[in-house]
PDB file of all heavy atoms in Angstrom:
ATOM      1  N   VAL B 445       8.690   9.185 -16.362  1.00 96.00           N
ATOM      2  CA  VAL B 445       8.967   9.954 -15.147  1.00 96.00           C
ATOM      3  C   VAL B 445      10.186   9.375 -14.443  1.00 96.00           C
ATOM      4  O   VAL B 445      11.142  10.082 -14.129  1.00 96.00           O
ATOM      5  CB  VAL B 445       7.746   9.956 -14.197  1.00 96.00           C
ATOM      6  CG1 VAL B 445       8.098  10.595 -12.864  1.00 96.00           C
ATOM      7  CG2 VAL B 445       6.573  10.688 -14.853  1.00 96.00           C
ATOM      8  N   ALA B 446      10.119   8.082 -14.163  1.00 97.00           N
ATOM      9  CA  ALA B 446      11.231   7.375 -13.511  1.00 97.00           C
ATOM     10  C   ALA B 446      11.371   6.055 -14.258  1.00 97.00           C
ATOM     11  O   ALA B 446      10.639   5.114 -13.980  1.00 97.00           O
ATOM     12  CB  ALA B 446      10.942   7.154 -12.032  1.00 97.00           C
ATOM     13  N   ASP B 447      12.289   6.024 -15.191  1.00 96.00           N
ATOM     14  CA  ASP B 447      12.478   4.870 -16.055  1.00 96.00           C
ATOM     15  C   ASP B 447      12.400   3.570 -15.247  1.00 96.00           C
ATOM     16  O   ASP B 447      13.045   3.472 -14.204  1.00 96.00           O
ATOM     17  CB  ASP B 447      13.860   4.989 -16.729  1.00 96.00           C
ATOM     18  CG  ASP B 447      14.165   3.804 -17.611  1.00 96.00           C
ATOM     19  OD1 ASP B 447      14.687   2.793 -17.074  1.00 96.00           O
ATOM     20  OD2 ASP B 447      13.877   3.888 -18.801  1.00 96.00           O
ATOM     21  N   PRO B 448      11.643   2.560 -15.639  1.00 98.00           N
ATOM     22  CA  PRO B 448      10.867   2.427 -16.879  1.00 98.00           C
ATOM     23  C   PRO B 448       9.422   2.914 -16.767  1.00 98.00           C
ATOM     24  O   PRO B 448       8.629   2.626 -17.656  1.00 98.00           O
ATOM     25  CB  PRO B 448      10.885   0.903 -17.094  1.00 98.00           C
ATOM     26  CG  PRO B 448      10.809   0.352 -15.704  1.00 98.00           C
ATOM     27  CD  PRO B 448      11.606   1.306 -14.839  1.00 98.00           C
ATOM     28  N   LEU B 449       9.104   3.614 -15.692  1.00 98.00           N
ATOM     29  CA  LEU B 449       7.706   3.988 -15.462  1.00 98.00           C
ATOM     30  C   LEU B 449       7.371   5.341 -16.085  1.00 98.00           C
ATOM     31  O   LEU B 449       8.164   6.285 -16.020  1.00 98.00           O
ATOM     32  CB  LEU B 449       7.406   4.028 -13.958  1.00 98.00           C
ATOM     33  CG  LEU B 449       7.548   2.692 -13.226  1.00 98.00           C
ATOM     34  CD1 LEU B 449       7.314   2.885 -11.735  1.00 98.00           C
ATOM     35  CD2 LEU B 449       6.584   1.652 -13.794  1.00 98.00           C
ATOM     36  N   ARG B 450       6.178   5.402 -16.639  1.00 98.00           N
ATOM     37  CA  ARG B 450       5.681   6.616 -17.268  1.00 98.00           C
ATOM     38  C   ARG B 450       4.643   7.293 -16.383  1.00 98.00           C
ATOM     39  O   ARG B 450       4.192   6.716 -15.394  1.00 98.00           O
ATOM     40  CB  ARG B 450       5.088   6.266 -18.641  1.00 98.00           C
ATOM     41  CG  ARG B 450       6.138   5.737 -19.609  1.00 98.00           C
ATOM     42  CD  ARG B 450       5.551   5.267 -20.916  1.00 98.00           C
ATOM     43  NE  ARG B 450       6.619   4.782 -21.790  1.00 98.00           N
ATOM     44  CZ  ARG B 450       7.324   5.566 -22.614  1.00 98.00           C
ATOM     45  NH1 ARG B 450       7.039   6.853 -22.700  1.00 98.00           N
ATOM     46  NH2 ARG B 450       8.295   5.067 -23.345  1.00 98.00           N
ATOM     47  N   LEU B 451       4.267   8.483 -16.800  1.00 97.00           N
ATOM     48  CA  LEU B 451       3.341   9.281 -15.991  1.00 97.00           C
ATOM     49  C   LEU B 451       2.088   8.482 -15.619  1.00 97.00           C
ATOM     50  O   LEU B 451       1.633   8.520 -14.473  1.00 97.00           O
ATOM     51  CB  LEU B 451       2.959  10.552 -16.757  1.00 97.00           C
ATOM     52  CG  LEU B 451       2.117  11.561 -15.980  1.00 97.00           C
ATOM     53  CD1 LEU B 451       2.884  12.109 -14.784  1.00 97.00           C
ATOM     54  CD2 LEU B 451       1.665  12.708 -16.886  1.00 97.00           C
ATOM     55  N   LEU B 452       1.537   7.736 -16.571  1.00 98.00           N
ATOM     56  CA  LEU B 452       0.294   7.015 -16.300  1.00 98.00           C
ATOM     57  C   LEU B 452       0.527   5.702 -15.557  1.00 98.00           C
ATOM     58  O   LEU B 452      -0.420   4.988 -15.240  1.00 98.00           O
ATOM     59  CB  LEU B 452      -0.491   6.783 -17.598  1.00 98.00           C
ATOM     60  CG  LEU B 452      -1.024   8.054 -18.269  1.00 98.00           C
ATOM     61  CD1 LEU B 452      -1.879   7.701 -19.489  1.00 98.00           C
ATOM     62  CD2 LEU B 452      -1.835   8.915 -17.297  1.00 98.00           C
ATOM     63  N   ASP B 453       1.791   5.367 -15.274  1.00 98.00           N
ATOM     64  CA  ASP B 453       2.093   4.224 -14.401  1.00 98.00           C
ATOM     65  C   ASP B 453       2.119   4.635 -12.933  1.00 98.00           C
ATOM     66  O   ASP B 453       2.158   3.766 -12.049  1.00 98.00           O
ATOM     67  CB  ASP B 453       3.486   3.652 -14.721  1.00 98.00           C
ATOM     68  CG  ASP B 453       3.512   2.813 -15.985  1.00 98.00           C
ATOM     69  OD1 ASP B 453       2.764   1.833 -16.062  1.00 98.00           O
ATOM     70  OD2 ASP B 453       4.292   3.166 -16.899  1.00 98.00           O
ATOM     71  N   ILE B 454       2.176   5.931 -12.685  1.00 97.00           N
ATOM     72  CA  ILE B 454       2.435   6.426 -11.330  1.00 97.00           C
ATOM     73  C   ILE B 454       1.222   7.185 -10.831  1.00 97.00           C
ATOM     74  O   ILE B 454       0.646   7.985 -11.567  1.00 97.00           O
ATOM     75  CB  ILE B 454       3.679   7.330 -11.341  1.00 97.00           C
ATOM     76  CG1 ILE B 454       4.913   6.488 -11.701  1.00 97.00           C
ATOM     77  CG2 ILE B 454       3.875   8.014  -9.992  1.00 97.00           C
ATOM     78  CD1 ILE B 454       6.114   7.316 -12.050  1.00 97.00           C
ATOM     79  N   CYS B 455       0.824   6.925  -9.588  1.00 96.00           N
ATOM     80  CA  CYS B 455      -0.391   7.557  -9.094  1.00 96.00           C
ATOM     81  C   CYS B 455      -0.146   9.037  -8.819  1.00 96.00           C
ATOM     82  O   CYS B 455       0.948   9.456  -8.474  1.00 96.00           O
ATOM     83  CB  CYS B 455      -0.918   6.836  -7.853  1.00 96.00           C
ATOM     84  SG  CYS B 455      -0.244   7.393  -6.301  1.00 96.00           S
ATOM     85  N   ALA B 456      -1.199   9.800  -9.008  1.00 95.00           N
ATOM     86  CA  ALA B 456      -1.149  11.238  -8.742  1.00 95.00           C
ATOM     87  C   ALA B 456      -1.235  11.492  -7.245  1.00 95.00           C
ATOM     88  O   ALA B 456      -1.412  10.564  -6.449  1.00 95.00           O
ATOM     89  CB  ALA B 456      -2.308  11.917  -9.463  1.00 95.00           C
ATOM     90  N   THR B 457      -1.091  12.739  -6.842  1.00 95.00           N
ATOM     91  CA  THR B 457      -1.369  13.134  -5.466  1.00 95.00           C
ATOM     92  C   THR B 457      -2.667  13.932  -5.482  1.00 95.00           C
ATOM     93  O   THR B 457      -2.839  14.798  -6.327  1.00 95.00           O
ATOM     94  CB  THR B 457      -0.233  13.989  -4.887  1.00 95.00           C
ATOM     95  OG1 THR B 457      -0.103  15.176  -5.675  1.00 95.00           O
ATOM     96  CG2 THR B 457       1.081  13.227  -4.916  1.00 95.00           C
ATOM     97  N   SER B 458      -3.569  13.591  -4.583  1.00 97.00           N
ATOM     98  CA  SER B 458      -4.935  14.112  -4.668  1.00 97.00           C
ATOM     99  C   SER B 458      -5.428  14.696  -3.359  1.00 97.00           C
ATOM    100  O   SER B 458      -4.883  14.445  -2.291  1.00 97.00           O
ATOM    101  CB  SER B 458      -5.899  12.988  -5.079  1.00 97.00           C
ATOM    102  OG  SER B 458      -5.699  12.609  -6.416  1.00 97.00           O
ATOM    103  N   ASP B 459      -6.513  15.458  -3.483  1.00 97.00           N
ATOM    104  CA  ASP B 459      -7.329  15.847  -2.340  1.00 97.00           C
ATOM    105  C   ASP B 459      -8.409  14.782  -2.167  1.00 97.00           C
ATOM    106  O   ASP B 459      -8.905  14.242  -3.158  1.00 97.00           O
ATOM    107  CB  ASP B 459      -8.045  17.171  -2.601  1.00 97.00           C
ATOM    108  CG  ASP B 459      -7.088  18.344  -2.785  1.00 97.00           C
ATOM    109  OD1 ASP B 459      -5.870  18.134  -2.706  1.00 97.00           O
ATOM    110  OD2 ASP B 459      -7.588  19.462  -3.006  1.00 97.00           O
ATOM    111  N   GLY B 460      -8.810  14.538  -0.921  1.00 98.00           N
ATOM    112  CA  GLY B 460      -9.912  13.599  -0.703  1.00 98.00           C
ATOM    113  C   GLY B 460     -10.114  13.359   0.776  1.00 98.00           C
ATOM    114  O   GLY B 460      -9.271  13.751   1.603  1.00 98.00           O
ATOM    115  N   GLY B 461     -11.229  12.741   1.109  1.00 98.00           N
ATOM    116  CA  GLY B 461     -11.508  12.426   2.510  1.00 98.00           C
ATOM    117  C   GLY B 461     -12.352  11.165   2.596  1.00 98.00           C
ATOM    118  O   GLY B 461     -13.185  10.902   1.718  1.00 98.00           O
ATOM    119  N   ALA B 462     -12.085  10.362   3.634  1.00 98.00           N
ATOM    120  CA  ALA B 462     -12.855   9.132   3.835  1.00 98.00           C
ATOM    121  C   ALA B 462     -13.102   8.942   5.323  1.00 98.00           C
ATOM    122  O   ALA B 462     -12.285   9.372   6.155  1.00 98.00           O
ATOM    123  CB  ALA B 462     -12.114   7.923   3.254  1.00 98.00           C
ATOM    124  N   ALA B 463     -14.229   8.330   5.656  1.00 98.00           N
ATOM    125  CA  ALA B 463     -14.575   8.140   7.065  1.00 98.00           C
ATOM    126  C   ALA B 463     -15.346   6.845   7.252  1.00 98.00           C
ATOM    127  O   ALA B 463     -16.010   6.358   6.330  1.00 98.00           O
ATOM    128  CB  ALA B 463     -15.412   9.319   7.563  1.00 98.00           C
ATOM    129  N   LEU B 464     -15.222   6.296   8.449  1.00 98.00           N
ATOM    130  CA  LEU B 464     -15.948   5.080   8.828  1.00 98.00           C
ATOM    131  C   LEU B 464     -16.556   5.287  10.207  1.00 98.00           C
ATOM    132  O   LEU B 464     -15.948   5.931  11.070  1.00 98.00           O
ATOM    133  CB  LEU B 464     -14.995   3.879   8.896  1.00 98.00           C
ATOM    134  CG  LEU B 464     -14.368   3.391   7.583  1.00 98.00           C
ATOM    135  CD1 LEU B 464     -13.188   2.470   7.889  1.00 98.00           C
ATOM    136  CD2 LEU B 464     -15.414   2.671   6.727  1.00 98.00           C
ATOM    137  N   VAL B 465     -17.745   4.743  10.416  1.00 98.00           N
ATOM    138  CA  VAL B 465     -18.319   4.664  11.760  1.00 98.00           C
ATOM    139  C   VAL B 465     -18.243   3.205  12.175  1.00 98.00           C
ATOM    140  O   VAL B 465     -18.850   2.340  11.525  1.00 98.00           O
ATOM    141  CB  VAL B 465     -19.779   5.155  11.793  1.00 98.00           C
ATOM    142  CG1 VAL B 465     -20.358   4.971  13.195  1.00 98.00           C
ATOM    143  CG2 VAL B 465     -19.867   6.612  11.365  1.00 98.00           C
ATOM    144  N   LEU B 466     -17.446   2.934  13.203  1.00 98.00           N
ATOM    145  CA  LEU B 466     -17.266   1.568  13.698  1.00 98.00           C
ATOM    146  C   LEU B 466     -17.959   1.428  15.046  1.00 98.00           C
ATOM    147  O   LEU B 466     -18.032   2.393  15.818  1.00 98.00           O
ATOM    148  CB  LEU B 466     -15.776   1.238  13.846  1.00 98.00           C
ATOM    149  CG  LEU B 466     -14.899   1.442  12.604  1.00 98.00           C
ATOM    150  CD1 LEU B 466     -13.444   1.076  12.909  1.00 98.00           C
ATOM    151  CD2 LEU B 466     -15.412   0.624  11.432  1.00 98.00           C
TER     152      LEU B 466
END
Side-chain angles (χ1 to χ4, degrees):
Chain B
V445 172
D447 178 274
L449 297 176
R450 295 175 180 273
L451 186 64
L452 294 184
D453 283 302
I454 295 167
C455 87
T457 61
S458 290
D459 296 0
L464 293 165
V465 176
L466 305 180

